[in-house]
Amino acid sequence: MSITISYCRRYWKQLSTGTKLIALCLICIWVLSKAFIVMCKWSEGPSYQPCVEYIDHMCAEFSRHRISGNLCTELCHNTSAERFHCEHNSPGEKKVIVYIKDEDTKLVLKSGAYTSWDSVAKNYTSIKTLRPLVLSKDSLVEKLYSKFRQYFLNNETFGRFVSHLDVNSHNVLSAAVSGELLLQQDEYITSMNYQSKEVVPGLRGVCGNFYVSDYTPTDGALLTNRPGAGWPWRSVGEWKNRRTVAIRLLELAERLDNNDLLLCDVKGDNFGVLEDGKIAVLDSDTLFTRTVLGDVLKEDTCSSDSDCSFWDCHGTCDQKSWKCSTSLANTNFQAN
C-alpha cells in the first residue's frame, strides 16, 4: 500500500498544472454525482418492497376469511408495488404507514403493532359457536356490542365501527378478530370517537388491523402552498400567511378544548391540513381527555411538578401525598 501511495505522489508531481485542475474537476463531479444519487434515494423514501409484504399479508388473511373490513376488497384488487409507498417500515417500528395512490386519490393506510390472528382468535374458547350459519346479523351485532361498545363515546360511533367491519352472518369470527385488532390501537379509537369534531383526518374504513384515513399533508403543508378550498396563503414569508397559520392552529386548540381533549405531543409534523383548510392532528394516539390523562398521572410518585409531565401536558405534584394530582396545569393554548 505504501509503495502504491509513493508512486501516485511522484506521478502527481509530474503532471502539469492544467492536467491537475482537470483531474480535480473530474473528481469533484464524481463526488457530487454520488451525493446527488444518495439524496435522490433519500427523497424517494423507503423502498416499495416492505409495503408489498404488508399488503400481501393483509390480503392473504382476507382471502382465507381470517379478517374482514369494508375496504378489503377494494385494497386487495390491486396490490402492485406502484400503488403503495411506506413511510415507517423499519425493523421494530410499531406503526406502519402506507400511502395509497389511485389516480387522483391519495389515502393513508395505518396499523399499530400487529398482533397475530391466532393470538387473538385463541381468546375465543368456543370458536365453533361463533360460526353458526343461522346467526343473524342483528344477533352478531348484539354480541359485538356487549364486547366492544365500551370503547366508543356513543352508539352512533359504535354503529360506524360495525359498518367498518362489514359484519354479516358469514364472517362472524373474522369480524370479531378484526375488531379486537383495531381496538388494540388507541389512534383508531380516538379517530373514530372524534370524527365529527374536525380534529382528526376522516376515516374511510378498515381491513383487518389496518385502517384507512384521508391523506392529510403534514408539516410542510403548513408552510407552503396548499391547493384547495379554504387555503388562501401563497408564501410563508408573508406575515399575513403566518397569521393565517396561527389562526388555524388557535382554532384547532379551541376545538380540542371544547371536546375536553389535550394534545400532548406538539410538533410540526403532527399537524396536517384538511380539505377545507382546517388544521387537524395526525398522531391522535397523543390525544387524551383530561379525565383519562389525570387518571394516568395520579399513579405516579413525584418530588416536583416536572415529574408529572406527559410530553407537552403538564400536571401538578401534591406535596402532601407526593403523588401527581389528577388536575392538569396547562391547556392546549399553553402546550409547548
Side-chain angles (χ1 to χ4, degrees):
M1 176 66 73
S2 60
I3 295 175
T4 302
I5 294 174
S6 177
Y7 172 78
C8 290
R9 292 178 65 183
R10 286 200 305 270
Y11 182 74
W12 179 259
K13 290 179 180 180
Q14 294 174 5
L15 297 175
S16 65
T17 302
T19 304
K20 288 179 180 178
L21 288 174
I22 293 172
L24 287 173
C25 287
L26 290 173
I27 292 172
C28 288
I29 292 171
W30 180 83
V31 171
L32 289 172
S33 65
K34 291 295 184 182
F36 179 75
I37 291 172
V38 171
M39 290 176 65
C40 286
K41 287 183 177 180
W42 284 350
S43 66
E44 290 172 359
S47 66
Y48 287 123
Q49 185 59 35
C51 289
V52 174
E53 293 176 359
Y54 290 126
I55 302 303
D56 284 349
H57 181 270
M58 176 186 71
C59 293
E61 294 286 83
F62 174 60
S63 66
R64 297 169 63 188
H65 307 290
R66 286 158 61 95
I67 61 173
S68 65
N70 63 320
L71 293 183
C72 287
T73 301
E74 181 181 341
L75 290 171
C76 295
H77 86 278
N78 176 11
T79 58
S80 63
E82 291 75 15
R83 191 185 183 204
F84 303 99
H85 171 71
C86 277
E87 178 182 282
H88 297 163
N89 53 22
S90 57
E93 178 64 56
K94 290 185 177 181
K95 183 184 293 183
V96 178
I97 301 179
V98 183
Y99 293 99
I100 310 169
K101 186 174 182 180
D102 284 327
E103 298 179 351
D104 296 330
T105 303
K106 284 186 177 181
L107 298 171
V108 183
L109 185 69
K110 289 185 178 182
S111 177
Y114 181 73
T115 303
S116 71
W117 186 93
D118 294 303
S119 64
V120 174
K122 71 181 182 182
N123 294 329
Y124 296 92
T125 56
S126 181
I127 291 179
K128 290 183 179 179
T129 62
L130 290 172
R131 295 182 178 272
L133 295 177
V134 295
L135 184 64
S136 67
K137 179 178 178 178
D138 290 342
S139 299
L140 175 56
V141 170
E142 185 177 342
K143 290 179 180 294
L144 293 176
Y145 185 92
S146 64
K147 188 172 182 62
F148 298 139
R149 171 62 179 85
Q150 59 182 310
Y151 294 94
F152 301 105
L153 293 179
N154 50 53
N155 287 341
E156 181 182 354
T157 305
F158 172 76
R160 289 200 303 271
F161 169 69
V162 171
S163 67
H164 279 180
L165 294 179
D166 194 26
V167 175
N168 59 67
S169 60
H170 301 289
N171 69 349
V172 182
L173 182 57
S174 62
V177 172
S178 297
E180 287 211 20
L181 292 173
L182 287 166
L183 295 179
Q184 292 173 5
Q185 304 174 63
D186 291 337
E187 186 169 351
Y188 173 76
I189 298 171
T190 302
S191 295
M192 281 293 292
N193 281 325
Y194 295 97
Q195 275 295 284
S196 62
K197 307 301 182 182
E198 297 181 308
V199 297
V200 292
L203 277 179
R204 299 291 187 94
V206 308
C207 182
N209 59 300
F210 283 93
Y211 53 98
V212 177
S213 64
D214 292 330
Y215 171 72
T216 310
T218 53
D219 181 32
L222 299 180
L223 306 176
T224 57
N225 197 15
R226 168 76 164 102
W231 202 252
W233 53 88
R234 292 292 180 268
S235 169
V236 70
E238 300 174 16
W239 179 85
K240 64 179 181 179
N241 297 338
R242 293 177 180 268
R243 178 190 64 186
T244 304
V245 174
I247 290 173
R248 296 291 169 88
L249 286 170
L250 289 173
E251 290 172 347
L252 170 63
E254 184 177 28
R255 292 196 299 275
L256 292 173
D257 278 353
N258 289 341
N259 289 283
D260 197 35
L261 288 171
L262 282 171
L263 176 60
C264 294
D265 189 14
V266 180
K267 56 185 180 183
D269 59 3
N270 202 7
F271 299 105
V273 185
L274 301 175
E275 282 299 319
D276 61 359
K278 291 184 175 69
I279 293 176
V281 177
L282 300 186
D283 191 8
S284 57
D285 56 6
T286 61
L287 276 175
F288 300 91
T289 65
R290 287 180 170 275
T291 302
V292 169
L293 189 56
D295 288 341
V296 171
L297 292 175
K298 73 178 182 180
E299 302 299 327
D300 295 341
T301 57
C302 58
S303 57
S304 66
D305 289 347
S306 61
D307 295 328
C308 300
S309 293
F310 189 78
W311 289 318
D312 296 313
C313 294
H314 307 299
T316 56
C317 181
D318 186 337
Q319 297 186 2
K320 292 182 179 180
S321 63
W322 299 111
K323 287 191 174 183
C324 294
S325 169
T326 57
S327 61
L328 297 169
N330 65 316
T331 67
N332 288 293
F333 291 96
Q334 300 165 325
N336 54 63

